[in-house]
């Protein structure tokens, strides 16, 4: 899923659990996380909307959410709102590349693994 300033609010408002990876092409750690995000999007398809928001092409929504520099930043929404402590910032190193997004998915949603 590709999130943009045009579609992101509507997707979040749908009430489905949503996890967004805020990224940029110049961000090495963001690029390293990309395959993990793609893998998790396939794994959770139909249960959680997981996708990417390019902060170079879109700025309005990331500014609203105080994402000033992707490193990467992962943020989750549940039932259309941003619950407390539903954000992960900073580099993830293997095996955290997979653990960090999975933990965010678990805490941002009601899905149990």
């Amino acid at each position: 899923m590709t999130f943009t300033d045009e579609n992101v609010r509507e997707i979040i408002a749908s009430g489905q659990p949503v996890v967004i990876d805020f990224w940029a092409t110049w961000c090495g750690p963001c690029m390293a996380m990309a395959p993990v995000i793609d893998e998790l999007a396939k794994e959770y398809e139909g249960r959680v909307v997981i996708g990417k928001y390019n902060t170079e092409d879109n700025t309005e929504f990331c500014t609203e959410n105080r994402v000033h520099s992707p490193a990467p930043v992962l943020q989750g929404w549940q039932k259309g709102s941003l619950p407390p402590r539903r954000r992960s910032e900073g580099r993830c190193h293997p095996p955290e590349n997979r653990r960090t997004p999975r933990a965010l998915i678990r805490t941002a949603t009601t899905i149990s693994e």
Side-chain angles (χ1 to χ4, degrees):
M1 164 69 62
T2 299
F3 294 101
T4 66
D5 285 336
E6 289 75 33
N7 71 5
V8 68
R9 288 171 198 79
E10 182 179 332
I11 294 167
I12 291 171
S14 74
Q16 292 181 286
V18 175
V19 174
I20 298 176
D21 172 24
F22 293 89
W23 72 283
T25 57
W26 53 263
C27 174
C30 298
M31 300 306 283
M33 283 296 293
V36 175
I37 299 302
D38 292 340
E39 175 185 310
L40 291 172
K42 288 178 187 172
E43 181 179 335
Y44 286 92
E45 187 173 0
R47 298 180 289 163
V48 181
V49 179
I50 301 173
K52 303 172 191 172
Y53 176 98
N54 185 322
T55 60
E56 295 170 301
D57 297 337
N58 301 277
T59 59
E60 186 179 311
F61 187 73
C62 66
T63 300
E64 289 172 13
N65 285 277
R66 297 185 178 133
V67 176
H68 302 291
S69 178
V73 174
L74 301 173
Q75 197 159 304
W77 283 261
Q78 184 178 33
K79 298 180 183 171
S81 64
L82 183 62
R85 298 183 308 270
R86 300 303 193 253
R87 183 169 173 155
S88 171
E89 296 184 46
R91 295 180 182 186
C92 297
H93 300 285
E96 288 84 10
N97 271 3
R98 284 181 169 63
R99 276 199 305 252
T100 299
R102 284 184 187 279
L104 181 67
I105 291 167
R106 279 194 307 274
T107 59
T109 68
T110 56
I111 292 177
S112 59
E113 296 194 308

